[in-house]
Amino acid sequence: MFLLRRLARLTVSLAVLLFASFSMIHLIPGDPVRASLGTAAPAELVAARRAELGLDEPIHQQLLGYLKGVLTGDFGTSLQTRETVAGIIADRLPSTAELAVLAALIALLVAIPMGMWLAIRTENGRNPGSELAFTTATGTIAAIPEFLLAVGLVVVFAITLGWLPPAGKDGPASYVLPVIALAVGPVAVLARLVRVEALRELDKDYLRMARAKHLPRRRLYLRHLLPNMLTATLTVGGLLLASLIPGTVLVENVFAWPGLGQRMTESILQKDYPVAQAVILVYGAIVLLVNFLVDVALGVLDPRSAIRGT
Amino acid sequence: MPASAIERLTVRYGTHVAVDDVSLAIPERSIVGLVGESGSGKSTLAKALVGLVPHTGTVTGADRVQMVFQDPYASLDPRMTVGASVAEGLKLPRAARAAEVARLLTLVNLDPALAGSYPRQLSGGQRQRVALARALGARPSLLVADEITSALDVSVQGAVLNLIRSLRRELGLSVLFISHNLAVVRYVADVIAVMREGRLVEVGPAEQITSRPHAPYTRALLDAVPQVGRTATARR
Amino acid sequence: MRALRSPAPLTGLLLVAAVLTLALLGPALWGESAARIDDGAILQGHSPAHPLGTDDLGRDLLARILVATRLSLLLACLATVVGVAIGLPLGVLPAVLPPRGARAAAGTINALVAFPGLLLAMFTAVVSGLGARGAVLGMGIATAPVLARLTQTLAASVANADYVSAARVLGVSRLRIAVRHVLPNIAEPLLLNITLLFGGSLLGLAGLSFLGLGVQPPDYDWGRLLFDGLSRVYVDPEAALGPAVAIGLAAVGFNLLGEGLAKAASRRAVVPRGAATGEALREARSEGVLSVRGLSVAFPGGAVPVRDVHLDVAPGEIVGVVGESGSGKSLTALAIGGLVPYPGEVTGGINLCGQDLSALSPGELRRLRGTSLAMVFQDPMTTLNPALRVGGQLAEVSTTHQKMPRKEALARAVDRLRRVRIARPEERARQHPHTFSGGMRQRAIIAMGLMGTPKLIIADEPTTALDVTVQRDILLLLREAAKEAAVILISHDIAVVSQLCDRVVVMYAGRVVEELTVAELRRARHPYTRALIAATPDLTTDRDKPLATIPGQPPSPFDDPDGCAFAPRCAAATSACRTTRPLLEDGIACLHPQSSD
């Protein structure tokens, strides 16, 4: 029941996304092909490309054609480079995914222990100094966007110290800076959330009961506290993974990383609409799918889901 | 002649029937007590009476129903003064409102000067009396009191119970008094209705219900009421 | 504005003030040098004349950064206005519309929130053309769903409040409820979040400009300057670092300020640390199960909710502790169990099972309390860990404290569940708590207490959250348990206590005021005990007389009057009661004990 409702929501969201990406090219004022190819392009070429995009057909046929294309994996051809858009995505997406997944993993592995440890340390207003330092530091770090951090990292570690490559994708060392730039912000955000969540759980009756049993600390925290925080933490972690995707767009641009985000920016600047359209669709769909999977995973993990699902 | 009559009232949440075909008369100038345990549907019935949940069946003679809620800390808007809260339901010209608010506060044994204060400055018992004053301002033909003393200490509970009884005497108010506490209901109500799993089990005069109950469930409830100086015994 | 005294929000405030001043004065002060083209100084690095170097037309970069403040802030402002104009009404809709419309509005918000803001912004920027207008619209549209969701959540938390129901019952219109009750009660968090969203817009716009999708030359904001600077980052890192630092400082400023204010708004009154009471430690008796002497619990700031409590419990005895809210009864129980929450300070002597607790090491304390003391709390729905199976939660008591093998401990758990009369205990032990009813959970918790060999069971309002018919089962179960262990039953309800206990201890304002056997309750001598019994209606209360009440309110835990704490509410009080504190002697602390006729 829960799964069905959630599936219905996913379908609606995907439909909205499809329609939005389809209408993008039609919402652009003037002739998109002319805008893309420039005023100097011969009229025959513009007409040929218009025909290729199907822009002269009636709108409902265009929509049908677009849907058919999406379902068969045919996203058209780049107006500028003549590559197939599907080929571009297949070529670029893995590099982006590597960055996002690595950053998300690191964020989870660092943030969960850190947040829990601080929650335990600062429970009931203990150690107000640690709390202040932690919230100030994470607040500051969370406020600095990944692209600024990326620029700073390049200047310090690549240019001044020369320890790591400043740009490009070439061997394990080239992953370090982009992944750090992507992961630092989420670590701060996630660590704070984990701490707040852990503090909330620590305040609950069942933990008071566990304390009344006078269990050793390790058992208290790992066995009683952690499982109850995991659902909330995983939700945020999943959403974080989804939110890393726009972050990759900016970071890829700083590090000239051969990913999808860099290509998307290029295509928007060059008014290469078929590419931009498809990439926005792919990113949107990935985010929606990740959110969906997180929800489903939570439904499976939570022992109370049987109640929630009805 | 009953002031209000509930006929064949049913509330469904999805497939769950919370209130199942309940008919109950609330005679004029009387207090009807509604007892039941959690999940019996007594609070849902209250919400249906004031239109907070959709229901089937009819309610007659209760065109102006007002309600007072359980939690004295949640039932008043923290950003509104006591006076503003009480005045909100008054259908009166602005000039006449202050006087009416003062009258209502006096009616519930509160100092009219409290009109300018905020809920956080009042004790639980005082807040519950403000909520009563707010409800009385709408000149209700029926007042629904849902567990209004459950969150109060015993020493304060008595004052609220006495107030309900004196309001009935002085204003001729009809009250549906809902509580899980049979001893409290017996003290305030003229008629007691016992509810279980959405249905009425037994209805009758308070003295009869508490001394000569017919339904086995009512008997079980009575047995379970703790009494000072009476030790608990196993279920008969 | 006390929040601004702590360093983080203060830093934020200073940063924001500096940025705002720059936005106001920047163009007037440095506008000229920012626009001055100098063919002789193109693409220079750091020099005394140009601290951050020059751009491709020889214009001073530092001046350009300072001047760009205004445009950067202005665009962020516009984007926030667009976001609020769309998001706020959308977020309020679910609370205002009738159910079907509300569901549709909530669905729209859900669908929009799922898309990442940057993608929405890029989409809008593409459609409305590259440039500042497209970027502002895009950022605004990207902000709107976030704000809508926030407004919706906040409004929903208020919309179910009883006072909103009360207004609905009074016939107040939906729109008026939204304006009069909902919005004022969420205004504070909403405004704070708009501040934070403003910081987000500032960064988002900088990001768009940085990608080349925002402000286009000849206009320039911080993001555009960073975009230009990054292309020469290898040669002149300062050209990129300058705008990066400007964006970073502004973002951090708004964030710290917003968070500081949010924290100040949500902060509960924090009381300053004060001195604990100077209660003399007294020797606790070592016979009996429990002996408490001069127990006090103090909190920083002067609140002393438990004052000088003495309590003795003999083996097999059931002692009831009665009092109203604030009487200190629950904290007394927590102090015995070693569970008083930080920063509460416990003083006095506690002797449990013949051992003076102050003489034990933390490990010994844990073992003693873990095996010989069991606690049962008020709300069984929240006292069992929802993530763990019931059997495992019982078994861990034995595996940790008695070093029992897991299998044996599980078998024992099943046995204890059977003893508290849970049907099909083997099956039940494998289930999670959410499949148990309230009464069953409370029984499971008692079973948990019976896993060790408890000498004392402390039950704190164990039946308050339960139905009366279940309440009796639990009380009977506790009495059965008392055949092997002593029980302390804490309750606000003197009738409940009298059902089960041998002896009753009455507490008022943190002190024990009377101690008597259940049989003596009807002949209680303390005016407070008598008033408490008279105020509790039972099935024999005379319906024709008004119910007895106790006028006034109990004193706050901060006050420690010289005389009897009950004197202001007591009909028998004399002037002596207000100046002399009665001591607990012969089971009563009262200068004017009442006698039954």
Side-chain angles (χ1 to χ4, degrees), chain A residues 17 20 29 124 139 143 145 148 159 192 205-206 208-209 213-214 219 224 228 253-254 264 269 283 287-288 303, chain C residues 114 119 123 127 203 211-212 233 244 255 259 337 342 366 369 375 377 382-383 385-386 393 396-397 401 434 448:
Chain A
L17 176 68
N124 281 326
L148 289 190
I159 297 172
R192 304 186 99 181
D205 282 346
Y206 71 85
R208 199 163 57 135
M209 188 74 224
K213 290 198 247 170
H214 296 276
R219 187 168 180 89
H224 283 266
N228 284 294
N253 273 284
V254 175
M264 168 160 83
L269 286 174
Y283 274 143
V287 170
L288 292 178
Chain C
L119 283 188
F123 178 83
V127 169
L203 287 178
L211 292 175
V233 72
N255 208 39
E259 286 204 334
Y342 179 87
R366 202 165 56 224
R369 281 179 168 145
M375 300 199 71
F377 297 111
T382 56
T383 353
N385 191 328
Q393 294 190 53
E396 71 181 348
V397 176
H401 293 303
H434 67 84
M448 185 143 71

Side-chain angles (χ1 to χ4, degrees), chain B residues 178-211:
Chain B
I178 300 174
S179 175
H180 68 283
N181 188 329
L182 198 49
V184 165
V185 169
R186 191 202 75 104
Y187 178 72
V188 289
D190 311 304
V191 173
I192 295 181
V194 182
M195 209 170 164
R196 184 190 197 188
E197 287 168 4
R199 292 172 162 273
L200 281 188
V201 180
E202 187 168 7
V203 183
E207 283 299 346
Q208 181 245 305
I209 291 276
T210 50
S211 54

Side-chain angles (χ1 to χ4, degrees), chain B residues 36-39 50-52 65-67 69-71 74-80 84-86 88-89 91 122-123 126 134-135 138 152-159 161-162 165 180-190 206-207 210 217 220-236, chain C residues 161-172 176 180-182 184-189 323-326 464-473 475-476 479 492-496 498-501 518 521-522 528 532-533 535-554 569:
Chain B
E37 300 189 291
S38 53
V50 292
L52 287 174
V65 194
Q66 281 304 315
M67 181 160 169
F69 299 84
Q70 171 170 3
D71 185 356
S75 64
L76 299 176
D77 188 332
R79 310 248 161 184
M80 276 164 99
S85 275
V86 174
E88 194 169 34
K91 311 260 181 311
L122 306 186
S123 72
Q126 284 174 321
R134 176 178 59 188
L152 303 179
D153 271 325
V154 216
S155 61
V156 185
Q157 167 176 279
L161 294 180
N162 290 339
R165 282 165 50 112
H180 68 283
N181 188 329
L182 198 49
V184 165
V185 169
R186 191 202 75 104
Y187 178 72
V188 289
D190 311 304
E207 283 299 346
T210 50
Y217 178 67
L221 272 185
L222 279 168
D223 279 349
V225 172
Q227 300 267 65
V228 172
R230 194 182 81 177
T231 44
T233 47
R235 201 173 291 189
R236 273 177 252 163
Chain C
D162 284 348
Y163 58 81
V164 172
S165 295
R168 278 172 65 190
V169 173
L170 282 172
V172 180
R176 195 180 141 80
R180 189 104 167 91
H181 290 284
V182 177
N185 278 299
I186 64 173
E188 212 170 279
E324 296 187 278
S325 42
T464 307
L466 302 174
D467 283 328
V468 267
T469 48
V470 183
Q471 164 168 300
R472 194 188 36 193
D473 293 346
L475 292 179
L476 288 173
R479 177 184 299 156
H492 67 283
D493 189 340
I494 201 161
V496 166
S498 78
Q499 269 199 304
L500 181 72
C501 301
V518 164
L521 266 182
R522 288 284 177 195
Y528 176 66
L532 207 55
I533 294 171
T536 310
D538 64 21
L539 293 173
T540 58
T541 308
D542 187 349
R543 287 161 34 92
D544 298 326
K545 287 187 199 147
L547 204 55
T549 61
I550 307 177
Q553 286 174 42
R569 305 174 75 186

Side-chain angles (χ1 to χ4, degrees), chain B residues 90 98 117 121 131:
Chain B
L90 299 180
S117 48
Q121 294 162 296

